[in-house]
Amino acid sequence: MRDKKQLTIYSLLFVLAIIIRLALIPNPGFEADISFWKSWGLATYDKGIVEGMKATNNNYPTPFAYSLGAMVKLYSFFKDPHIFNDFWKNTNLLFLTISKLFPILADIGIAGIILYIGKNTKELGFPTVPSIGYWVLSIGYLLNPISIIDGAVWGQVDSVGLFIFLLAFLALLKRWSFVAGLIFMLSMMTKLQNMIYAPLFFLFAFQYGGFKFLIQTIAGALTSFVGLNIEFILTKNADRIFASLTENYDYFPWMSLNAYNLWWIVTGAKGMATSDKLSVIGMVNAKTVGLLLFSCFYLFAVIRQLALSVKLDKLVLLKTFLEGIIIINASFFLFQTQSHDRYAFPLSVFLLLWAPFIRNKKLFIIFYSIFTVLYFYNLHTALVVNYPNNGIPFLSLLTGPIFTITTSFVLLGLFGVFLFTLIKSSRLTVNCLLLSVSIITGGLIFLNLPLFTKKPISLNSLTPYVSEQSYGTRQTNRTVQSSFGGPNSWTRLSVQYAFYNTGLGSHAPSKYTYNINKNFTRFETDFGIDTESGTKASAIFEIYGDDKLLFQSKKMGRFDLPKHTSVNVSGITNLTLKTTDAGDGNTDDHTDWLNPKLFP
């Protein structure tokens, strides 16, 4: 009788969760993302996946285009996607329904996985708790405002990638090694952020099933990778595959993409307007510091996974793996620059899967509730600062720095609380954390070693936060023409056949600004027109310190020998290198900064 009552309550709450999602489908959500789905999906529908990706700015993993093409294909059964005014309206209810159906179904799938785990705890290695516990976790996810706003309102597909990843996780637990690898690669090719779990995922596979099990899992992943990208491979467009996996690395070079994290605090709530190439610790820029912090906690998760699972106790192994996944996901969101507001979405599920292992359920409920409220606020604010009419009216007013920075502090604090619970439970965990912190601290000291030793460094050691030029892209240690074609087209820097191993290949007019953060006293460089230039080449070279002109060359031509200059940069925060076309047009103006050095 009690089970029947519980089932009735769950069913009613499940229906409520679905009704809420269906009611929110007409909301235009994050309109730019929906427009991307339309653009990328229509290109795939019209031209196929290979040519479709070439025709758009699709920067997702290549197989994801299949999903977007499927959206438009479904749409075509009811309406013609080529009727411009209908298809491209941001209130196109049919397309909103189809596109949001993907994350809504994934939400249901995630809730189903939680229920499945609850019914098979002994087989899968999860703690056995009263059956209602997993029911509560399942419906808790479906009614969580985080899952509702991300899919049914925003229109994103984070839950789709997460659902597939959880399927891969289940396959591992059921010892379907090859299938687990297949599915994991599919999850990564759906949401590229899932790649951050790969090392721990495969380590877990090894610890769970042994070396042969690991090899089978890797074989499944490789098979999946080839299968998902077969069209690109067969048409000799494999370069597009790898471009889609790497081009997002510096796609948005900002401190924080509306993610309320460490860098949102550092920038005073101006994360979307502050370059992550600015120096923050000595001569190390924010992007590198963020990567080191993330690496620190990743290393901590891996070392801890190795140390605590020596006995190969299934319950301990599984609990440690889930805790490692939480550490990785949280640190990816909190400490990396260029972190998106949506990157912490998986935590809403990982924390629920971790809950059955926790003894103090009341404290967990408080912890999870605070996280839910604050992270929902983060997602909501990121939505309404772009589309003010698509959020909750009263909440849309609370977007000021006082609210967003406070949220950032508390989210960081919650991560600290989580780490404290792990440290408190195991002395070994403390040692793992100290080892990780020591290694990363050593890395920071090493990167700043020139400042301690007063040794000059190549300007190439730094990354400019402003990089502009009229032709090609800035080249390091090779000519500007090397930016076109493959490795066979790479050419060494030279001026009138005087060759240099280090420098910058540019094209006038150009401008590069480096944040040297008052760390240096002198800047020296050679400069000139590259040997590969035509006879019409001419340019003037300029050096600025905090927008003040420090040096200007005479007009340089193709047959001029390289020149040298040295300028005082004491107290300078921003160093700018500029080239102009000398007033006669920029034909053939291939300009080189040669062996540029900074002296502490």
Side-chain angles (χ1 to χ4, degrees):
M1 186 72 178
R2 183 181 177 185
D3 290 344
K4 187 176 181 180
K5 183 178 180 181
Q6 290 175 357
L7 178 60
T8 301
I9 294 173
Y10 179 88
S11 299
L12 290 174
L13 292 174
F14 176 84
V15 171
L16 174 62
I18 300 304
I19 290 174
I20 291 173
R21 283 167 167 78
L22 294 178
L24 292 170
I25 283 177
N27 188 310
F30 203 94
E31 297 173 27
D33 285 347
I34 301 297
S35 294
F36 285 139
W37 298 166
K38 290 178 181 178
S39 172
W40 300 346
L42 185 60
T44 302
Y45 173 77
D46 285 341
K47 299 174 177 291
I49 188 171
V50 177
E51 295 302 320
M53 288 199 73
K54 289 182 181 179
T56 66
N57 64 338
N58 189 338
N59 62 346
Y60 271 54
T62 46
F64 184 63
Y66 286 119
S67 300
L68 302 179
M71 290 182 188
V72 178
K73 182 66 176 179
L74 284 172
Y75 183 91
S76 70
F77 291 146
F78 304 95
K79 285 187 176 183
D80 184 354
H82 299 102
I83 300 176
F84 185 88
N85 289 335
D86 286 345
F87 185 69
W88 287 98
K89 282 193 300 187
N90 63 353
T91 55
N92 183 336
L93 183 58
L94 177 58
F95 189 86
L96 286 170
T97 301
I98 291 171
S99 62
K100 292 183 179 183
L101 190 62
F102 282 68
I104 289 174
L105 291 175
D107 284 341
I108 296 171
I110 290 170
I113 287 175
I114 295 173
L115 283 180
Y116 180 83
I117 290 173
K119 291 182 179 180
N120 299 274
T121 52
K122 291 184 179 180
E123 177 191 358
L124 301 177
F126 274 78
T128 300
V129 298
S131 59
I132 191 174
Y134 286 95
W135 288 64
V136 170
L137 295 177
S138 175
I139 204 65
Y141 171 74
L142 282 176
L143 289 175
N144 191 321
I146 293 172
S147 66
I148 293 171
I149 191 174
D150 190 80
V153 178
W154 192 299
Q156 259 294 345
V157 291
D158 297 290
S159 60
V160 177
L162 179 57
F163 169 65
I164 300 172
F165 173 77
L166 292 176
L167 287 178
F169 175 53
L170 274 185
L172 273 187
L173 296 182
K174 294 182 73 65
R175 297 188 179 276
W176 299 342
S177 54
F178 188 80
V179 174
L182 283 172
I183 301 174
F184 175 78
M185 184 55 66
L186 176 60
S187 77
M188 197 182 92
M189 288 294 167
T190 302
K191 288 299 293 184
L192 189 57
Q193 289 76 36
N194 284 340
M195 73 162 55
I196 66 174
Y197 310 126
L200 206 65
F201 181 84
F202 290 109
L203 173 61
F204 178 75
F206 171 70
Q207 293 176 309
Y208 193 72
F211 183 72
K212 183 179 179 181
F213 189 87
L214 170 64
I215 296 301
Q216 291 170 342
T217 307
I218 294 173
L222 293 175
T223 302
S224 181
F225 180 82
V226 173
L228 290 167
N229 292 287
I230 192 65
E231 288 194 58
F232 292 88
I233 296 171
L234 293 177
T235 57
K236 298 181 178 180
N237 284 281
D239 59 323
R240 189 67 189 85
I241 302 171
F242 297 103
S244 71
L245 299 177
T246 58
E247 63 188 2
N248 284 329
Y249 175 71
D250 210 29
Y251 201 79
F252 297 104
W254 309 113
M255 291 274 199
S256 169
L257 306 182
N258 284 321
Y260 297 156
N261 58 15
L262 171 67
W263 301 108
W264 194 259
I265 296 170
V266 169
T267 61
K270 296 178 181 178
M272 284 288 288
T274 308
S275 170
D276 66 350
K277 305 305 182 295
L278 299 179
S279 300
V280 291
I281 298 181
M283 55 183 276
V284 185
N285 64 29
K287 184 177 179 65
T288 304
V289 172
L291 181 61
L292 285 172
L293 288 171
F294 172 60
S295 300
C296 172
F297 288 106
Y298 206 119
L299 183 62
F300 167 58
V302 171
I303 293 175
R304 186 171 179 270
Q305 178 78 17
L306 288 168
L308 292 183
S309 55
V310 172
K311 297 180 180 179
L312 295 181
D313 179 271
K314 192 173 182 180
L315 193 66
V316 173
L317 181 63
L318 185 55
K319 178 175 181 287
T320 307
F321 172 73
L322 287 172
E323 289 166 346
I325 290 292
I326 292 170
I327 291 168
I328 290 168
N329 192 180
S331 58
F332 186 68
F333 172 80
L334 291 171
F335 301 115
Q336 285 264 64
T337 63
Q338 303 188 32
S339 180
H340 278 270
D341 32 52
R342 294 177 291 99
Y343 282 178
F345 175 83
L347 290 175
S348 63
V349 177
F350 293 148
L351 287 169
L352 291 177
L353 294 177
W354 179 62
F357 295 90
I358 304 306
R359 292 181 180 178
N360 195 326
K361 299 296 189 286
K362 290 182 179 179
L363 283 180
F364 174 81
I365 291 172
I366 295 171
F367 177 90
Y368 190 76
S369 298
I370 295 173
F371 166 74
T372 296
V373 170
L374 293 180
Y375 187 54
F376 168 75
Y377 167 76
N378 190 163
L379 289 175
H380 182 272
T381 306
L383 172 66
V384 298
V385 295
N386 291 282
Y387 303 100
N389 298 324
N390 297 348
I392 301 171
F394 79 89
L395 193 57
S396 298
L397 301 175
L398 307 179
T399 59
I402 183 72
F403 301 107
T404 60
I405 292 177
T406 299
T407 298
S408 302
F409 272 112
V410 179
L411 287 174
L412 282 164
L414 288 177
F415 183 60
V417 170
F418 176 78
L419 290 179
F420 178 75
T421 62
L422 303 187
I423 292 171
K424 187 178 179 182
S425 64
S426 169
R427 175 65 186 174
L428 190 58
T429 296
V430 178
N431 295 334
C432 293
L433 183 58
L434 289 175
L435 176 61
S436 302
V437 171
S438 298
I439 292 173
I440 301 306
T441 302
L444 276 173
I445 293 173
F446 175 78
L447 291 173
N448 279 303
L449 205 55
L451 298 183
F452 299 120
T453 60
K454 301 298 181 181
K455 295 289 181 66
I457 67 163
S458 170
L459 186 66
N460 292 347
S461 302
L462 307 179
T463 303
Y465 71 92
V466 174
S467 182
E468 303 169 353
Q469 63 190 59
S470 63
Y471 173 83
T473 56
R474 184 187 81 257
Q475 298 296 298
T476 302
N477 301 334
R478 61 191 190 188
T479 67
V480 70
Q481 197 63 32
S482 300
S483 60
F484 301 93
N488 291 333
S489 69
W490 294 353
T491 306
R492 287 178 62 192
L493 296 166
S494 67
V495 174
Q496 193 55 14
Y497 299 102
F499 289 90
Y500 289 76
N501 292 324
T502 60
L504 299 172
S506 64
H507 193 289
S510 66
K511 176 183 178 181
Y512 310 132
T513 301
Y514 298 81
N515 182 239
I516 61 174
N517 206 26
K518 301 180 181 179
N519 288 316
F520 302 94
T521 61
R522 185 162 50 94
F523 173 65
E524 291 187 0
T525 185
D526 289 1
F527 56 91
I529 303 295
D530 196 272
T531 308
E532 73 180 6
S533 301
T535 58
K536 295 181 179 180
S538 64
I540 292 175
F541 294 77
E542 299 174 342
I543 301 174
Y544 292 82
D546 293 335
D547 297 324
K548 179 182 178 181
L549 181 64
L550 303 178
F551 168 80
Q552 183 179 62
S553 75
K554 295 180 180 180
K555 182 177 179 179
M556 299 283 291
R558 160 65 181 81
F559 301 105
D560 289 330
L561 293 171
K563 299 291 190 280
H564 177 82
T565 188
S566 176
V567 296
N568 184 352
V569 293
S570 298
I572 297 297
T573 299
N574 297 308
L575 176 70
T576 299
L577 308 183
K578 290 180 68 174
T579 62
T580 71
D581 63 8
D584 56 5
N586 68 342
T587 302
D588 295 333
D589 290 353
H590 295 203
T591 50
D592 296 341
W593 297 95
L594 304 161
N595 197 23
K597 289 184 178 181
L598 285 162
F599 293 79

